Amino acid sequence: MEGGKPSLALVYQAVQALYHDPDPAGKERASVWLGELQRSMYAWEISDQLLQLKQDVESCYFAAQTMKMKIQTSFYELPPETHNALRDSLLTHIQNLKDLSPIIVTQLALAIADLALQMASWKGCVHTLIEKYNNDISSMPFLIEILTVLPEEVHSRSLRIGANRRTEIIEDLAYYSSTVVTLLTTCVEKTGNDEKMLIKVFRCLGSWFNLGVLDSNFMASNQLLMVLFQVLQRDETSTNLHEAASDCVCSALYAIENVDTNVALALQLFQGVLTLETAYHMAVAREDLDKVLNYCRIFTELCETFLETTVRTPGQGMGDLRTLELLLICAGHPQYEVVEISFNFWYRLGEHLYKINNAALHNIFRPYIQRLLHCLARHCQLDPDHEGIPEDTDDFGEFRMRVSDLVKDVIFLVGSMECFSQLYSTLKEGNPPWEVTEAVLFIMAAIAKSKCDTLMWLFLFCSFRENNPTLSEVLQQVVLLPETVHMAVRYTSIELVGEMSEVVDRNPRFLDPVLNYLMKGLREKPLASAAAKAIHNICSVCRDHMAQHFQGLLDIARSLDSFALSTEAAVGLLKGTALVLARLPLEKIAECLSDLCAVQVMALKKLLAEESRNGKSADPTVWLDRLAVIFRHTNPIVENGQTHPCQKVIQEIWPVLSETLNTHQADNRIVERCCRCLRFAVRCVGKGSASLLQPLVTQMVSVYQVYPHSCFLYLGSILVDEYGMEEGCRQGLLDMLQALCMPTFQLLEQPNGLRNHPDTVDDLFRLATRFVQRSPVTLLSSSIIVHIIQCAIAATSLDHRDANCSVMKFVRDLIHTGVANDHEEDFEVRKRLIGQAMEQHGQQLVTQLMHSCCFCLPPYTLPDVAEVLWEVMVFDRPTFCRWLESALKGLPKETSGGAVTVTHKQLTDFHKQVTSAEECKQVCWAIREFTRLFR
């Protein structure tokens, strides 16, 4: 911090400004200054002094929070001889401030817990704390707070204490767990019905259950369990206490996931939860939704815990199917939020039964799923006074989407055909209100979307052929719906028709009436987007049958903006049109594609003309996106030697795209859309875009020097992919790469350049990887390769999913070119060039990779790291062994708190596991285990 240690008065003044300054700019300045203070060494002493002064809640909260943050992130700043003094100071502060504010007590409790976890010399911290405070009833609240957060912090991502220390702590906490439970039991006995204390006790007990260190036999006979269920059974229990007790029971149920090894506790919890049915009904009668939701959470957690037992021995012992009855009782509650809690369990049950695939088991659970579907159909009903179409984006709309997903995953238990027929019969036999009709159609559409939909529709269609009239009736009745029915019914029926496109494809006589029906919807503003999506579905599935309707699709495309379509629906319609276009005879495609693109091209020309006339820039992204989707999905089958029918059209469109790119070169969003459009144009015609190569590359490089948009790097990778194997194009593409690399390296070499520009890193290494794949010798022989490799080594520590993946793929593929003897004539040259690169950079690469995966990268990136190390090892195992040994010697062996991070044996075991591995996955397993020592 510049200017040395600030005075306490200045710090106090900044804290006051942060909380009380009426000027937002003043608050912001105070926040920035206090943030700098928190990062400085002075924060330790100043926080301690503020807590001693105890001037007001704000300054004490800031000090407590700072102390916690410093211990979490900067504990290494303190010399070991100060650790005991810090512990004693924190314990004094929490005792002196226990009555000032609960949030301050929590921050200090977290600071003490984080200190205990990192301070290896503080042995038996739980025992020490209980010995020190358990006889003082006034200290009990903060003691329990410390004992609550301590188990929670063991797996905190803020603390990198390592697997060895974590194991030591968990063993220590397990050893003292019965002491903690006894303390909590005594506390309940002493304080009686003190609600605040009961809440603290339940939170603490839940925390220890979550860590998984409580002895299940000891807990099965513990009085606290009985108190928990008494609280949950009592009608007069307050909302806060009820929630705390519910959380605790859920934690206990989660802790005994392996029922077979926790039989005594499992039985107590199982029987205890079954006694709560009456209390649930009482909460429903009192319209106490908070308690209803709590009970449903408990019932759901019960079912999740005993899922395997229920499937293995349904109806027997703890496989008692009353557990499912409890969930179905909750599903009957009028509020949809209640049944939604149980969705994950029904997903898992469906998944289990699907994998087992036992008809007898399916028969046992089928009635429960049928009842669930009946409840879901009722919950999906809109309000009778609802006007207009169903909303997709509000809470209820999102609930309906989740219902749709759940139906898709469990419908196999009931049978798609049977359920479809049953639902349709409910519409046919009565005259239900519109909201019932709409909900039934919605569930039918969900069945139509089910994950095995093609097979399902094939089966349904075969059933139809065997004189089952359900499908033909559904389609006929839906397309004959009068325009007078409720708008929501028409909307959902259009969605259903769109999902039945497989049936239409296998029965083309439905196509004309279906299209007529959808066209009516397209002309009405509320229904237009749904109708467009349905037409898109029909086009995607019925391409061959739709070819005869191409002119109609073209007419729609020409007047797209006369319909009230969302952007997504308009693009979907063009996609469907392009898919059908690709099925036309080759000689017709060029003309039809030109017609399809003409509207978008004319619009772009008009925007450019307006720009040059009045200097005002209009957004062209709508038209660029529409052209992109046309190019992306126009994929006709072209035989070798034939000219691609789209080639001429794309050449004609290029000048407009080029001018649009030039005009908007400073706008990253528009340039991205231009590049995307060009990418699909190049992909559409492949080598047929050769005439565009030189002008396109020239323009890309020219604009990139001024505006380094990363999308140019991505577009460059597409060009290398298409032309990199063409001898005549290689030097030009290498020149492009070198020209693009210079501004890129300047950008990435700025302070925090890699972290601030992950898209550029991602796209740069996509481009470099394409070069490795298409023309490795060209790249390896160039002067730019050294700089690219150095950039890659620096970027291996970048914690960004896409960017890191691209970097690792580049390094892996680069080394692999010297490993894979693909019998190409340049293999020996590649091997020699890779050997030179590895000699120069190998040790640095291995050292950086080990440092990155231990300290910088999340676990999901480790398979990519393993692949790189594997390739290095396969290329030269003896040298790799030395490099890895050197890298491991450089890793820290102890934490700043004095705990052993990694033992000599663990280092040698890891080295041996990696260097003796016979396949890449063994390297990955070894890295996963090893890096846990540093997390």
Side-chain angles (χ1 to χ4, degrees):
M1 196 169 191
E2 291 180 15
K5 178 185 166 187
S7 68
L8 281 179
L10 188 59
V11 176
Y12 183 73
Q13 187 180 337
V15 171
Q16 289 302 303
L18 179 68
Y19 286 102
H20 301 296
D21 193 328
D23 178 18
K27 282 181 185 287
E28 181 61 28
R29 283 194 299 273
S31 176
V32 170
W33 189 84
L34 289 169
E36 280 181 32
L37 171 63
Q38 287 181 319
R39 287 187 291 276
S40 74
M41 277 292 292
Y42 305 120
W44 294 103
E45 187 182 348
I46 286 172
S47 298
D48 190 55
Q49 290 173 343
L50 286 173
L51 289 167
Q52 282 176 0
L53 283 174
K54 197 178 171 182
Q55 198 153 357
D56 56 25
V57 171
E58 286 100 340
S59 61
C60 286
Y61 176 72
F62 169 75
Q65 186 193 43
T66 301
M67 197 65 91
K68 177 204 72 176
M69 192 184 82
K70 294 296 283 184
I71 291 170
Q72 280 183 348
T73 60
S74 310
F75 189 55
Y76 61 86
E77 293 177 349
L78 295 180
E81 60 270 18
T82 63
H83 294 172
N84 283 337
L86 175 62
R87 176 194 63 195
D88 296 342
S89 173
L90 286 171
L91 290 173
T92 302
H93 290 321
I94 199 168
Q95 188 154 27
N96 291 339
L97 297 166
K98 64 191 177 197
D99 300 320
L100 186 61
S101 166
I103 57 170
I104 293 171
V105 170
T106 299
Q107 293 297 309
L108 288 172
L110 283 165
I112 292 163
D114 291 339
L115 176 64
L117 296 177
Q118 294 180 88
M119 188 174 155
S121 59
W122 188 0
K123 305 289 184 188
C125 64
V126 170
H127 181 68
T128 309
L129 291 166
I130 291 176
E131 283 281 295
K132 188 175 174 75
Y133 297 115
N134 77 326
N135 290 321
D136 177 15
I137 196 72
S138 68
S139 301
M140 203 58 75
F142 76 74
L143 172 60
I144 292 178
E145 187 68 26
I146 297 170
L147 293 175
T148 300
V149 298
L150 184 61
E152 291 171 352
E153 290 294 288
V154 169
H155 293 291
S156 167
R157 291 184 180 179
S158 304
L159 301 175
R160 297 185 74 95
I161 57 177
N164 286 334
R165 175 65 178 155
R166 196 168 278 112
T167 301
E168 182 188 339
I169 290 161
I170 290 172
E171 287 172 356
D172 192 54
L173 295 182
Y175 182 78
Y176 290 111
S177 61
S178 56
T179 310
V180 172
V181 174
T182 303
L183 170 76
L184 296 177
T185 308
T186 307
C187 187
V188 170
E189 288 169 353
K190 284 182 180 177
T191 57
N193 291 327
D194 182 339
E195 184 180 305
K196 285 185 179 176
M197 188 56 76
L198 267 180
I199 289 173
K200 285 183 177 295
V201 166
F202 291 159
R203 273 191 59 228
C204 186
L205 182 61
S207 176
W208 285 74
F209 267 126
N210 285 335
L211 190 61
V213 294
L214 295 179
D215 181 278
S216 64
N217 289 324
F218 176 72
M219 287 309 303
S221 56
N222 190 272
Q223 186 192 343
L224 277 181
L225 215 57
M226 188 176 70
V227 174
L228 263 177
F229 285 110
Q230 284 174 347
V231 165
L232 288 168
Q233 286 163 353
R234 279 205 304 267
D235 183 36
E236 62 272 16
T237 298
S238 73
T239 301
N240 290 342
L241 180 57
H242 197 276
E243 184 173 6
S246 300
D247 289 343
C248 188
V249 170
C250 288
S251 297
L253 286 165
Y254 186 79
I256 56 146
E257 194 85 49
N258 190 344
V259 173
D260 297 336
T261 58
N262 298 285
V263 175
L265 180 57
L267 188 59
Q268 289 297 316
L269 290 169
F270 186 86
Q271 292 172 342
V273 174
L274 288 181
T275 65
L276 299 179
E277 184 182 344
T278 306
Y280 168 83
H281 289 300
M282 184 60 75
V284 173
R286 292 192 182 280
E287 297 184 2
D288 191 334
L289 185 59
D290 289 332
K291 286 186 180 178
V292 167
L293 291 169
N294 287 337
Y295 289 124
C296 190
R297 280 196 299 127
I298 294 170
F299 298 156
T300 302
E301 199 64 60
L302 178 77
C303 289
E304 296 249 22
T305 297
F306 292 96
L307 173 59
E308 290 188 19
T309 310
T310 307
V311 172
R312 192 170 61 237
T313 54
Q316 300 171 38
M318 286 186 280
D320 194 327
L321 294 173
R322 279 185 295 168
T323 54
L324 298 190
E325 291 289 349
L326 288 174
L327 282 197
L328 288 172
I329 289 169
C330 291
H333 191 278
Q335 298 286 339
Y336 69 83
E337 295 92 342
V338 179
V339 69
E340 194 170 15
I341 290 170
S342 66
F343 278 13
N344 192 59
F345 165 74
W346 296 113
Y347 285 130
R348 285 187 61 205
L349 176 64
E351 195 175 35
H352 261 65
L353 295 172
Y354 188 77
K355 284 178 182 172
I356 294 169
N357 195 20
N358 179 307
L361 261 184
H362 288 192
N363 288 335
I364 291 171
F365 289 97
R366 181 174 293 120
Y368 295 94
I369 300 298
Q370 285 173 328
R371 287 164 61 192
L372 174 68
L373 291 174
H374 180 77
C375 290
L376 292 176
R378 198 177 68 254
H379 279 297
C380 285
Q381 290 175 18
L382 299 164
D383 287 335
D385 57 357
H386 178 90
E387 293 181 2
I389 63 172
E391 288 290 338
D392 288 339
T393 52
D394 62 4
D395 289 345
F396 185 56
E398 287 176 11
F399 166 74
R400 285 181 25 131
M401 288 302 104
R402 289 196 66 197
V403 168
S404 178
D405 291 339
L406 179 57
V407 169
K408 284 184 272 185
D409 282 357
V410 299
I411 192 63
F412 73 93
L413 279 166
V414 179
S416 305
M417 186 67 212
E418 183 183 339
C419 192
F420 211 78
S421 301
Q422 284 177 357
L423 287 167
Y424 182 59
S425 66
T426 62
L427 299 182
K428 194 171 60 169
E429 288 165 11
N431 185 20
W434 74 263
E435 67 273 15
V436 174
T437 301
E438 191 278 335
V440 169
L441 290 172
F442 177 79
I443 298 293
M444 289 168 81
I447 295 169
K449 288 178 192 171
S450 75
K451 55 191 171 185
C452 48
D453 48 3
T454 302
L455 289 172
M456 186 199 84
W457 283 118
L458 185 56
F459 164 69
L460 287 175
F461 186 63
C462 291
S463 303
F464 160 67
R465 295 280 290 268
E466 289 160 14
N467 299 319
N468 185 326
T470 303
L471 285 177
S472 61
E473 278 192 48
V474 169
L475 270 172
Q476 285 169 0
Q477 292 304 314
V478 166
V479 299
L480 291 174
L481 276 173
E483 294 179 24
T484 52
V485 299
H486 195 286
M487 189 65 77
V489 175
R490 292 180 64 199
Y491 179 90
T492 303
S493 68
I494 286 171
E495 287 196 324
L496 174 58
V497 169
E499 297 302 338
M500 293 178 75
S501 50
E502 292 279 351
V503 179
V504 178
D505 188 45
R506 289 181 171 81
N507 188 18
R509 71 183 178 84
F510 287 145
L511 188 57
D512 283 351
V514 161
L515 288 175
N516 288 336
Y517 179 67
L518 295 178
M519 281 304 300
K520 285 180 190 172
L522 195 62
R523 293 188 190 100
E524 290 190 49
K525 186 176 178 179
L527 306 174
S529 291
K533 186 181 174 187
I535 292 171
H536 164 217
N537 281 1
I538 299 283
C539 289
S540 301
V541 176
C542 314
R543 291 192 213 180
D544 293 323
H545 299 306
M546 283 298 292
Q548 61 182 307
H549 293 280
F550 181 76
Q551 189 56 49
L553 291 171
L554 191 57
D555 291 341
I556 293 171
R558 282 174 174 152
S559 54
L560 210 52
D561 293 311
S562 66
F563 303 110
L565 298 175
S566 67
T567 304
E568 183 189 359
V571 167
L573 253 179
L574 287 174
K575 176 185 171 182
T577 306
L579 289 169
V580 175
L581 169 62
R583 294 298 173 92
L584 297 180
L586 276 186
E587 64 274 10
K588 288 189 174 182
I589 288 179
E591 183 189 346
C592 292
L593 177 63
S594 183
D595 287 346
L596 188 57
C597 294
V599 176
Q600 341 305 327
V601 174
M602 288 302 295
L604 287 172
K605 284 180 177 176
K606 186 179 175 186
L607 292 181
L608 291 167
E610 287 173 2
E611 161 83 13
S612 62
R613 214 170 34 246
N614 57 30
K616 288 186 178 176
S617 177
D619 189 349
T621 53
V622 168
W623 314 106
L624 291 170
D625 287 349
R626 290 181 184 181
L627 279 176
V629 81
I630 293 168
F631 295 145
R632 184 177 189 175
H633 297 285
T634 304
N635 298 312
I637 298 164
V638 181
E639 303 292 337
N640 281 341
Q642 288 182 309
T643 302
H644 199 290
C646 304
Q647 184 176 322
K648 183 170 176 284
V649 179
I650 287 170
Q651 285 170 348
E652 290 168 356
I653 290 173
W654 158 247
V656 180
L657 294 177
S658 174
E659 194 181 343
T660 302
L661 180 54
N662 245 2
T663 303
H664 298 279
Q665 59 184 273
D667 189 321
N668 182 60
R669 186 178 64 91
I670 295 175
V671 171
E672 268 193 4
R673 303 304 237 290
C674 277
C675 285
R676 185 169 173 271
C677 188
L678 287 163
R679 162 194 164 194
F680 289 125
V682 170
R683 286 294 197 207
C684 176
V685 293
K687 305 279 188 300
S689 61
S691 61
L692 303 183
L693 191 56
Q694 189 176 358
L696 175 54
V697 168
T698 303
Q699 187 171 7
M700 284 165 57
V701 170
S702 169
V703 175
Y704 194 76
Q705 305 301 314
V706 187
Y707 302 106
H709 303 300
S710 73
C711 53
F712 286 125
L713 299 171
Y714 188 89
L715 185 54
S717 74
I718 302 298
L719 297 176
V720 172
D721 193 37
E722 290 291 340
Y723 295 100
M725 296 178 80
E726 301 289 313
E727 189 62 45
C729 298
R730 286 175 175 172
Q731 187 56 47
L733 291 170
L734 181 63
D735 293 342
M736 174 194 77
L737 173 66
Q738 290 175 322
L740 292 173
C741 275
M742 289 310 146
T744 303
F745 291 151
Q746 287 172 10
L747 188 71
L748 298 180
E749 284 164 7
Q750 293 172 1
N752 291 321
L754 293 167
R755 185 173 295 280
N756 293 339
H757 304 283
D759 291 345
T760 300
V761 175
D762 182 15
D763 292 331
L764 171 66
F765 287 101
R766 282 176 187 267
L767 170 55
T769 302
R770 290 295 193 196
F771 241 112
V772 169
Q773 293 166 345
R774 293 289 176 257
S775 187
V777 174
T778 308
L779 179 62
L780 286 163
S781 307
S782 70
S783 58
I784 199 73
I785 187 63
V786 173
H787 304 288
I788 293 175
I789 291 173
Q790 287 173 341
C791 184
I793 292 171
T796 55
S797 62
L798 185 59
D799 177 9
H800 182 279
R801 186 185 290 267
D802 293 337
N804 193 275
C805 183
S806 289
V807 172
M808 295 298 178
K809 181 164 176 51
F810 163 72
V811 180
R812 178 213 166 275
D813 285 7
L814 184 73
I815 300 165
H816 189 70
T817 57
V819 173
N821 188 352
D822 45 16
H823 306 293
E824 293 281 341
E825 56 194 41
D826 65 354
F827 174 65
E828 290 303 325
V829 180
R830 294 193 327 244
K831 189 173 180 180
R832 176 175 57 79
L833 290 169
I834 292 296
Q836 291 171 0
M838 293 309 296
E839 191 178 332
Q840 193 176 353
H841 304 286
Q843 179 66 74
Q844 186 191 358
L845 172 65
V846 173
T847 301
Q848 180 70 20
L849 283 172
M850 287 311 305
H851 182 272
S852 296
C853 62
C854 288
F855 300 109
C856 307
L857 299 179
Y860 66 75
T861 62
L862 297 184
D864 294 336
V865 176
E867 284 191 4
V868 175
L869 292 174
W870 171 255
E871 291 296 339
V872 178
M873 184 164 67
V874 172
F875 184 76
D876 185 349
R877 197 175 285 251
T879 308
F880 172 75
C881 291
R882 294 197 303 274
W883 287 341
L884 182 60
E885 184 180 351
S886 174
L888 293 177
K889 282 179 180 174
L891 293 173
K893 312 300 184 287
E894 279 193 0
T895 66
S896 50
V900 174
T901 304
V902 57
T903 65
H904 180 71
K905 184 177 184 308
Q906 285 170 327
L907 286 169
T908 53
D909 285 352
F910 172 68
H911 187 276
K912 185 178 178 182
Q913 286 167 355
V914 172
T915 55
S916 63
E918 293 181 2
E919 50 186 345
C920 184
K921 65 181 177 184
Q922 292 172 315
V923 176
C924 185
W925 292 334
I927 291 176
R928 270 192 201 284
E929 288 305 309
F930 184 71
T931 53
R932 286 191 179 120
L933 300 170
F934 297 88
R935 294 188 190 283

